[in-house]
Amino acid sequence: MRHFLLSFVLLLAGSAFSQEDCPDQHTFTVVIEPDAWPYEMSWELANGSGDILLAQDVANADDTLFVLCIDTADWEPCMVFTMNDTYGDGLVGDAFYQVWLDGEQLVQGSGNYGYGQSHAIDCPPGWTCNEAIGLELGDDPLTVEASGNVEWWTFTPAENGMYALSSCGSGCDTRLWIYDYCNMNNFDDTNEGSIYYDDNQGSCEDNEESAQLYVLLEAGVTYWVRFANLAGDCGGFDWTLAYGGPAEGCTDEVACNYNPAAEVDNGSCI
């Protein structure tokens, strides 16, 4: 990732964080109430494109207040703040962290957030899994518009069964991920952390680079769906979500290929 060269000043801990600290700039403040292991912590601030503006390690228990100046031109409408933890247990007890901009609190985090926790700041719906757009599927297939950098949706099936997700016909080079949890720190552009994934294996007849999946989903479980054109050469595309019917397979419990998820026996029992 490209690192910005910013004119910033790290002020003395304990100083008041206000606009007066950074005349003609934004005053960006990170306040940390650490647990017993502050040296496990680090944080970074990036724009919506993933370019890192600021990154700091938390060296010790006294390293709890960061006040920095950011040029107003470098603060974009969509920013992402990430707190990391090298041990993977987040913060213990009453420990917490806060993020402020010009005296206004933007972010607060605490508890066990694993190896990291990301917060989107003023990003549009669908930008990350935290701002995923909810989908509701009726009797007919649902057409979903993916425009710009909107990549994330959530879907909670009303019934067990097979579901088809497809960008076939869009003419775009797309990828498709399905997750059963949301933690942006665990996700990248590979199949890392996903339960289903397709990149050029979906065999769309019009374009092999489009993505599609036909997968078993469980009723009442929330899934996070990411559909993206990573090259950014489409500007936007449509994809569809449809119910394909109950899961088929061997329903005989004594068979060696018994499928406990199957609701319709397809005669394949051995």
Side-chain angles (χ1 to χ4, degrees):
M1 294 182 181
R2 178 166 60 96
H3 285 64
F4 281 79
L5 296 177
L6 298 181
S7 58
F8 66 89
V9 180
L10 179 61
L11 304 179
L12 294 176
S15 64
F17 46 99
S18 68
Q19 187 63 29
E20 296 178 357
D21 293 327
C22 302
D24 301 322
Q25 294 178 302
H26 287 303
T27 302
F28 181 77
T29 307
V30 179
V31 180
I32 300 175
E33 180 67 33
D35 57 18
W37 304 274
Y39 51 84
E40 297 172 358
M41 302 176 68
S42 65
W43 61 263
E44 62 186 35
L45 176 71
N47 61 22
S49 300
D51 302 315
I52 297 176
L53 275 71
L54 301 172
Q56 293 284 340
D57 291 327
V58 182
N60 53 62
D62 296 327
D63 213 3
T64 58
L65 177 63
F66 299 85
V67 184
L68 304 105
C69 300
I70 301 177
D71 288 340
T72 55
D74 291 324
W75 186 271
E76 299 184 5
C78 176
M79 306 292 287
V80 179
F81 178 84
T82 302
M83 183 64 74
N84 301 302
D85 186 272
T86 57
Y87 191 76
D89 62 351
L91 289 171
V92 178
D94 296 329
F96 65 89
Y97 62 87
Q98 297 175 341
V99 176
W100 298 70
L101 183 72
D102 299 335
E104 177 185 356
Q105 184 176 320
L106 303 178
V107 167
Q108 179 161 316
S110 61
N112 185 351
Y113 48 80
Y115 287 97
Q117 187 173 44
S118 293
H119 304 266
I121 302 170
D122 295 330
C123 295
W127 190 276
T128 71
C129 67
N130 299 293
E131 294 81 35
I133 301 169
L135 298 176
E136 293 186 8
L137 180 63
D139 295 332
D140 298 323
L142 176 67
T143 299
V144 183
E145 180 182 358
S147 59
N149 291 304
V150 175
E151 298 183 354
W152 288 89
W153 295 263
T154 57
F155 174 56
T156 305
E159 54 187 314
N160 296 334
M162 304 301 297
Y163 290 83
L165 301 88
S166 174
S167 66
C168 295
S170 68
C172 294
D173 180 3
T174 59
R175 295 189 197 179
L176 171 58
W177 302 255
I178 300 178
Y179 305 90
D180 57 0
Y181 71 107
C182 170
N183 187 332
M184 292 299 294
N185 283 54
N186 292 357
F187 306 151
D188 56 24
D189 292 339
T190 70
N191 62 348
E192 184 77 21
S194 65
I195 57 173
Y196 298 111
Y197 171 74
D198 179 44
D199 179 23
N200 299 349
Q201 287 80 47
S203 302
C204 292
E205 294 182 0
D206 67 303
N207 179 12
E208 66 179 11
E209 293 186 337
S210 295
Q212 65 174 341
L213 287 169
Y214 190 63
V215 295
L216 173 63
L217 301 180
E218 182 179 348
V221 174
T222 297
Y223 298 92
W224 282 261
V225 177
R226 182 188 178 198
F227 229 134
N229 166 232
L230 296 181
D233 53 359
C234 270
F237 62 94
D238 290 343
W239 62 274
T240 58
L241 170 65
Y243 175 63
E248 297 184 359
C250 174
T251 60
D252 186 346
E253 296 184 7
V254 300
C256 62
N257 62 335
Y258 167 63
N259 182 356
E263 297 181 2
V264 176
D265 194 291
N266 61 1
S268 64
C269 295
I270 301 173

